[in-house]
């Protein structure tokens, strides 16, 4: 058997709920072998982030070359990239190795509210990584930040922001509605062909740490398995929704606890 392989390029979460750790758990839960390139180390837990240590850009390059030089990577997920030099290294590595699928999660703020992306790095993200991505997965505040405008107030505004994000060079945008209001959490998949609303019941829990990381890595897992974009997004959203619904079973930490990546198994 040849197992599908996905690569996460992201930061490490010392508490295990988000970042590299959430990505690898997502890959494993969905039957995909996970490899990783660490861009930063964070000191964090379910209550917040207390420190960030950047990995030198040259070592990020070394990790990328080591993985692609040996493994048949089917899809790449990019998460926390807070440093300008690291963004340059990732962009150069992706251009060199040309993976078929790239899912970019423009992580700017942690669930706890801590900022993870320096303001000066946002423009570099726009111009160097978004044009390489197959899909970007901003939440509503991140979509607004990428466009330098207010958070969208209704469906028409969300779709309009999605179309303008497409103009930055990526063929698909998933604007996540978890920060919205109402009985349903609605994500919008926007492509040149139009917008598709993907709804799921909004779940009353504070245990949502790592939701965004896990969704983007679940999409990457689906793409690595050979699913088309819409199918991968639909399957990933259903899986993450179930992981959020089961999160309270874990009882990890005293703040925003992690979602339950292995809800299908225990």
């Amino acid at each position: 058997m040849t197992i599908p392989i996905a690569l996460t390029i992201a930061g490490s979460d010392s508490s295990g709920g988000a970042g590299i750790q959430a990505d690898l758990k997502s890959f494993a839960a969905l039957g995909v072998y996970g490899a990783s390139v660490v861009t930063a180390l964070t000191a964090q837990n379910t209550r917040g982030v207390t420190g960030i240590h950047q990995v030198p850009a040259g070592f990020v390059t070394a990790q990328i070359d080591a993985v692609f030089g040996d493994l048949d990577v089917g899809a790449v997920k990019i998460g926390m990239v807070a440093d300008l030099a690291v963004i340059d290294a990732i962009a150069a590595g992706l251009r060199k190795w040309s993976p078929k699928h790239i899912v970019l999660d423009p992580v700017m703020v942690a669930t706890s509210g801590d900022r993870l992306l320096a303001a000066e790095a946002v423009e570099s993200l726009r111009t160097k990584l978004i044009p390489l991505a197959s899909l970007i997965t901003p939440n509503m505040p991140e979509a607004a930040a990428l466009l330098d405008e207010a958070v969208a107030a209704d469906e028409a505004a969300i779709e309009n922001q999605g179309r303008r994000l497409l103009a930055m060079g990526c063929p698909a945008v998933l604007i996540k509605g978890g920060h919205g209001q109402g009985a349903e959490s609605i994500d919008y998949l926007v492509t040149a062909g139009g917008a598709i609303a993907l709804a799921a019941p909004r779940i009353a829990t504070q245990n949502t740490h790592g939701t965004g990381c896990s969704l983007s890595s679940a999409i990457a897992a689906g793409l690595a398995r050979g699913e088309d974009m819409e199918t991968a997004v639909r399957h990933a959203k259903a899986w993450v929704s179930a992981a959020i619904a089961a999160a309270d079973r874990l009882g990890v930490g005293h703040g925003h606890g992690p979602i339950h990546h292995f809800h299908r198994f225990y």
Side-chain angles (χ1 to χ4, degrees):
M1 183 186 76
T2 301
I3 190 169
I5 298 172
L7 167 66
T8 169
I9 303 176
S12 168
D13 171 6
S14 54
S15 68
I20 288 281
Q21 288 82 350
D23 297 337
L24 293 176
K25 289 173 184 177
S26 300
F27 295 158
L30 295 168
V32 172
Y33 182 87
S36 63
V37 168
V38 180
T39 61
L41 308 177
T42 68
Q44 70 172 293
N45 54 31
T46 63
R47 289 172 166 163
V49 180
T50 57
I52 298 175
H53 178 72
Q54 299 292 342
V55 173
F59 196 71
V60 170
T61 297
Q63 293 176 78
I64 290 172
D65 288 343
V67 172
F68 279 102
D70 185 39
L71 306 186
D72 183 13
V73 176
V76 175
K77 173 263 169 83
I78 305 172
M80 179 184 172
V81 287
D83 181 78
L84 290 171
V86 167
I87 290 175
D88 287 342
I90 294 168
L94 295 176
R95 287 193 300 268
K96 175 181 178 180
W97 294 103
S98 300
K100 183 177 181 181
H101 302 291
I102 300 171
V103 179
L104 171 62
D105 185 22
V107 181
M108 297 181 184
V109 179
T111 301
S112 59
D114 295 286
R115 188 172 183 89
L116 299 175
L117 183 68
E120 63 270 17
V122 176
E123 181 60 23
S124 191
L125 194 72
R126 290 187 189 112
T127 59
K128 295 176 180 177
L129 288 184
I130 288 179
L132 296 175
S134 312
L135 171 73
I136 63 171
T137 62
N139 58 34
M140 291 170 63
E142 288 163 348
L146 286 169
L147 293 165
D148 278 330
E149 59 187 53
V151 175
D154 55 38
E155 181 175 341
I158 292 171
E159 292 183 14
N160 184 263
Q161 287 189 344
R163 285 192 294 272
R164 281 181 291 123
L165 288 170
L166 290 179
M168 293 183 182
C170 58
V173 177
L174 181 69
I175 298 183
K176 299 173 293 189
H179 287 72
Q181 303 297 321
E184 291 184 316
S185 173
I186 305 175
D187 299 344
Y188 294 85
L189 178 61
V190 184
T191 65
I196 300 170
L198 304 169
R202 191 175 299 279
I203 298 160
T205 178
Q206 71 168 1
N207 296 319
T208 57
H209 186 55
T211 301
C213 304
S214 302
L215 177 65
S216 57
S217 53
I219 295 169
L223 294 172
R225 292 198 309 265
E227 295 175 356
D228 62 68
M229 183 64 73
E230 182 181 338
T231 301
V233 170
R234 287 184 181 277
H235 286 171
K237 182 172 175 66
W239 175 79
V240 166
S241 295
I244 296 171
D248 291 357
R249 300 208 306 256
L250 292 178
V252 173
H254 297 85
H256 294 283
I259 66 174
H260 193 347
H261 293 90
F262 297 105
H263 57 273
R264 291 176 175 173
F265 307 102
Y266 61 87

